[in-house]
């Protein structure tokens, strides 16, 4: 009953092309941001902030990055974690080597390094598609991690490439506690998510989707495939790079190249499959789902089954549930949680009179 | 009809195209004049679609040259053809399935939009103004094609006839001076064909667009075309006004068929 569009008439194209055209969506998003920016820091404890909310936000950003490339531009990639690593090590080196480097500028520069590397590894996409491209990005995944370990300059000659993120300070204020780190992460992620939403709803996004859906037709109406694909690689890697920098600075603190392995790339891919391919909101849903599911299983299974199962069974159960869910989503709802949410919204608009 | 047929805008000279040992087109020459509706007909596999693909740069012929508005070339990239004002539709619908009707037609205007990625990301000022300005143009196309009620529908959900219409809309959104239509009426029922004919004639009449048309429905072709080219096995066997072509014995035996 509450979710009604009736009576919300659009009198201009401007009104029809807002980022959230429905009033309830606008209010909802504002409430959500307000809740996470104001209420959560007041009430959430350290564990929630450090182990759940910050990683969910960071993975959401990485998932948005991959979604831009795979979901919108249709280029399958298995190198997201490597681009995160480039962002993390890039930001680290800018902080280390340039005195008085502002933190926000450093993570943006880290993102730009990732974008440059992304464009380089995106070049094969001009010739190959689908699985073959995925294998080419797999090369990026292994090569970058190897290079970060092998070339010791990147980690300032520490053993096995481990880096420890410097303290974050912005305008004299030290971001050292979980609350301030959480708020910083939230700010960066919300701003970048809104920018991504703007990109995908304008010509840039339409060109990506055109290339994804039918590349010959896209070229015939004047879209340049090379430029469009490489832009997608650049933007996607930029998002992954910033996510990687945040991962090092606001989440883990001490990272090594091996932490950005293929497993992490797959995890991000699962996030967009479960959350929704080609949806910014789906990236958030997928990231939250993948981070929360193991925790939820850890908490609920021992309670439900008691002493019947061992701890190792619970951790195996996670893998089983993950595998099952991915197969389920691929078969039943390839557009993921975001699509389920949309169907729910459409039902609500008609409820309680469906005819 | 008020429109006047002008000078030659597109001239194909000695076009030959082969794929390995298969000769798709052999030494074909014809021209298209400003504002006319020029049809290409022929049996299946005659090379009609290949001809369109040569015109807008999807295929690169081994021999011959294409002159479009005074510019001579043999081959080019499709996006450059689009920049010169050549738009087209496809035989098998080539819409962007995951996007709405509105977005599909909006992509047709991509060449006219000048804002860059960063402006799009901020969606403020120029980018916003541009988006609204082009939306207005797209709405004109939507009005013209009478598809207002489905503008927000994903194209994958539309029936075939409407998808064909949306594809025409996407081509029209680019405001082309030369429009290539590859079997725009294939698989349609009589009413849909009548609608499509009306749109094609209106485009030609109101916007003065030159049209090159491939179609199998002889009734339609003979009714709306100014001149017709007939291809068979990659060779040109007839060229001229509809009545001329209809009575050409080669054309009759190759394509139209004789009554025995």
């Amino acid at each position: 009953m509450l979710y009604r569009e009736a009576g919300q008439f659009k009198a201009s194209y401007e009104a029809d092309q807002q980022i959230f055209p429905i009033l309830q969506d606008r209010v909802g998003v504002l409430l959500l941001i307000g809740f996470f920016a104001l209420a959560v820091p007041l009430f959430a404890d350290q564990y929630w902030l450090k182990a759940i909310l910050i990683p969910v936000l960071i993975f959401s950003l990485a998932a948005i990055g991959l979604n831009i490339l795979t979901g919108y531009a249709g280029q399958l990639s298995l190198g997201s974690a490597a681009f995160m690593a480039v962002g993390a090590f890039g930001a680290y080196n800018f902080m280390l080597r340039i005195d008085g480097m502002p933190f926000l500028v450093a993570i943006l520069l880290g993102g730009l390094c990732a974008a440059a590397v992304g464009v380089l590894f995106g070049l094969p996409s001009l010739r190959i598609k689908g699985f073959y491209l995925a294998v080419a990005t797999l090369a990026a995944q292994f090569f970058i991690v190897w290079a970060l370990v092998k070339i010791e300059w990147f980690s300032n000659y520490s053993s096995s490439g481990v880096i420890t993120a410097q303290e974050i300070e912005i305008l004299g204020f030290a971001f050292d506690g979980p609350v301030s780190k959480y708020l910083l992460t939230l700010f960066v992620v919300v701003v970048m998510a809104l920018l991504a939403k703007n990109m995908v709803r304008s010509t840039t996004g339409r060109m990506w989707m055109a290339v994804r859906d039918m590349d010959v037709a896209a070229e015939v109406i004047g879209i340049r495939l090379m430029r469009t694909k490489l832009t997608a690689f650049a933007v996607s890697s930029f998002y992954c790079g910033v996510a990687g920098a945040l991962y090092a600075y606001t989440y883990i603190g001490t990272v090594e190249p091996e932490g950005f392995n293929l497993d992490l790339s797959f995890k991000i891919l699962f996030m967009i499959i479960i959350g929704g391919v080609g949806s910014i909101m789906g990236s958030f849903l997928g990231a939250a789902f993948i981070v929360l599911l193991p925790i939820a299983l850890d908490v609920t299974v021992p309670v439900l089954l008691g002493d019947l199962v061992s701890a190792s069974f619970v951790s195996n159960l996670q893998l089983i549930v993950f595998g099952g869910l991915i197969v389920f989503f691929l078969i039943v709802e390839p557009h993921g949680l975001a699509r389920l949410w949309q169907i729910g919204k459409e039902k609500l608009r008609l409820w309680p009179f469906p005819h | 009809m008020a429109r006047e047929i002008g000078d030659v805008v597109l001239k194909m000279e000695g076009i030959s195209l082969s794929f390995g040992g298969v000769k798709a087109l052999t030494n074909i020459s014809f021209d298209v004049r400003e504002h006319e509706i020029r049809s290409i007909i022929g049996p299946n596999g005659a090379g009609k679609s290949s001809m369109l693909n040569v015109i807008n740069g999807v295929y690169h012929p081994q021999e011959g040259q294409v002159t479009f508005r005074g510019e001579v070339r043999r081959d080019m990239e499709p996006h450059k053809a689009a920049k010169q004002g050549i738009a087209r539709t496809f035989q098998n619908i080539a819409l962007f399935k995951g996007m709405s009707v509105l977005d599909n037609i909006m992509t047709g205007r991509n060449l006219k939009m000048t804002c860059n990625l960063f402006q799009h990301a901020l969606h403020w000022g120029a980018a916003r103004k541009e988006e609204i300005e082009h939306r207005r143009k797209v709405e004109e196309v939507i009005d013209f094609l009478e598809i207002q009620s489905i503008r927000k529908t994903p194209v994958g959900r539309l029936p075939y006839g409407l998808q064909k219409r949306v594809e025409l809309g996407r081509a029209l959104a680019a405001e082309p001076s030369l429009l290539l239509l590859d079997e725009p009426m294939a698989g349609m029922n009589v009413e849909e064909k009548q609608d499509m004919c009306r749109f094609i004639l209106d485009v030609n009449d109101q916007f003065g667009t030159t049209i090159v048309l491939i179609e199998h429905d002889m009734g339609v072709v003979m009714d709306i075309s100014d001149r017709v080219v007939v291809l068979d096995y990659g060779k040109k066997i007839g060229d001229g006004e509809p009545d001329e072509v209809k009575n050409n014995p080669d054309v009759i035996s190759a394509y139209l068929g004789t009554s025995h």
Side-chain angles (χ1 to χ4, degrees), chain A residues 21-188:
Chain A
I22 300 170
L23 178 69
Q24 285 87 335
D25 284 350
R26 279 200 294 280
V27 174
V29 167
L30 282 177
L31 281 179
L32 217 60
I33 293 176
F35 173 75
F36 279 103
L38 302 172
V40 166
L42 284 178
F43 300 111
D45 61 13
Q46 288 230 353
Y47 170 75
W48 268 85
L49 289 172
K50 272 159 103 175
I52 296 173
L53 290 166
I54 293 179
V56 165
L57 286 170
I58 291 171
F59 286 130
S60 303
L61 193 60
I64 290 173
L66 183 60
N67 230 332
I68 285 173
L69 187 61
T70 305
Y72 286 95
Q75 312 297 310
L76 195 53
S77 162
L78 288 176
S80 340
F83 300 131
M84 285 177 75
V86 174
F89 280 77
Y92 169 78
N93 277 296
F94 281 113
M95 291 285 276
L96 181 76
R97 290 169 208 282
I98 299 172
D99 256 353
M101 187 67 168
F103 174 71
L104 288 177
V105 178
I107 59 170
L108 291 183
L109 288 172
L112 287 179
C113 293
V117 175
V119 168
L120 192 69
F121 283 98
L123 287 172
S125 72
L126 310 177
R127 285 273 162 200
I128 52 181
K129 290 179 190 171
F131 285 117
Y132 302 95
L133 179 63
V135 172
T137 56
L138 202 59
Q141 173 65 49
F142 288 115
F143 175 77
I144 290 169
V145 171
W146 173 83
L148 289 175
V149 177
K150 197 75 186 166
I151 304 171
E152 291 167 328
W153 183 84
F154 287 130
S155 52
N156 203 23
Y157 305 99
S158 78
S159 62
S160 73
V162 179
I163 56 168
T164 303
Q166 298 92 341
E167 295 297 312
I168 308 169
E169 201 186 287
I170 298 173
L171 301 172
F173 181 81
F175 286 78
D176 45 9
V179 174
S180 59
K181 279 184 176 170
Y182 162 74
L183 285 174
L184 179 66
T185 313
L186 182 71
F187 171 75
V188 174

Side-chain angles (χ1 to χ4, degrees), chain A residues 237-252:
Chain A
S237 312
F238 177 79
Y239 272 73
C240 287
V242 172
L246 289 174
Y247 185 85
Y249 280 85
T250 66
Y251 177 38
I252 302 265

Side-chain angles (χ1 to χ4, degrees), chain A residues 16-17 198 203-204 206 213, chain B residues 98 113 120-121 131 135 152:
Chain A
D16 195 37
Q17 294 189 163
N198 278 337
T203 308
T204 301
R206 284 193 294 265
D213 285 347
Chain B
M113 299 174 106
H120 289 151
E131 185 90 0
R135 170 78 188 270
K152 298 259 168 100

Side-chain angles (χ1 to χ4, degrees), chain A residues 55-56 59 63 263-264 266-275 282-296 318 321-323 325-326 329 337:
Chain A
V56 165
F59 286 130
D263 274 1
L264 186 60
F266 271 122
K267 216 167 161 183
I268 297 167
L269 186 63
F270 294 160
M271 285 174 191
I272 71 167
I273 291 173
I274 289 181
S283 311
F284 283 95
L285 295 177
F289 192 85
I290 298 265
V291 173
L292 287 174
L293 182 73
I295 299 171
Q318 278 180 22
V321 173
F322 264 134
L325 275 171
I326 285 159
F329 273 105
L337 292 170

Side-chain angles (χ1 to χ4, degrees), chain A residues 13-14 16-17 195 198-199 201-204 206 209-210 213-214 217 219-224 235, chain B residues 56 79 82 88 94 96-99 103 106-107 110 113 117 120-123 128 131-132 135 139 152:
Chain A
Y13 296 135
E14 199 159 10
D16 195 37
Q17 294 189 163
L195 294 180
N198 278 337
M199 273 187 260
R201 72 195 178 102
S202 54
T203 308
T204 301
R206 284 193 294 265
M209 290 186 272
D213 285 347
M214 187 72 75
E219 210 180 357
V220 161
I221 60 171
I223 292 171
R224 295 165 73 170
V235 175
Chain B
N56 78 336
H79 66 83
R88 75 172 285 184
F96 308 128
K97 290 253 162 13
M99 298 158 75
D103 281 343
M106 283 291 269
T107 38
N110 78 87
M113 299 174 106
L117 177 73
H120 289 151
L122 293 173
H123 214 268
R128 202 186 173 117
E131 185 90 0
I132 287 162
R135 170 78 188 270
E139 289 291 340
K152 298 259 168 100

Side-chain angles (χ1 to χ4, degrees), chain B residues 74-118:
Chain B
R74 180 186 300 167
D75 52 28
M76 65 169 0
E77 295 306 314
H79 66 83
K80 284 192 189 134
K83 220 168 246 173
Q84 288 188 336
I86 303 178
R88 75 172 285 184
T89 65
F90 290 82
Q91 185 174 2
N92 310 311
I93 296 169
L95 285 169
F96 308 128
K97 290 253 162 13
M99 298 158 75
S100 67
V101 169
L102 185 63
D103 281 343
N104 263 281
I105 303 179
M106 283 291 269
T107 38
R109 293 199 67 80
N110 78 87
L111 281 176
K112 309 222 181 274
M113 299 174 106
T114 52
C115 284
N116 60 33
L117 177 73
F118 301 102

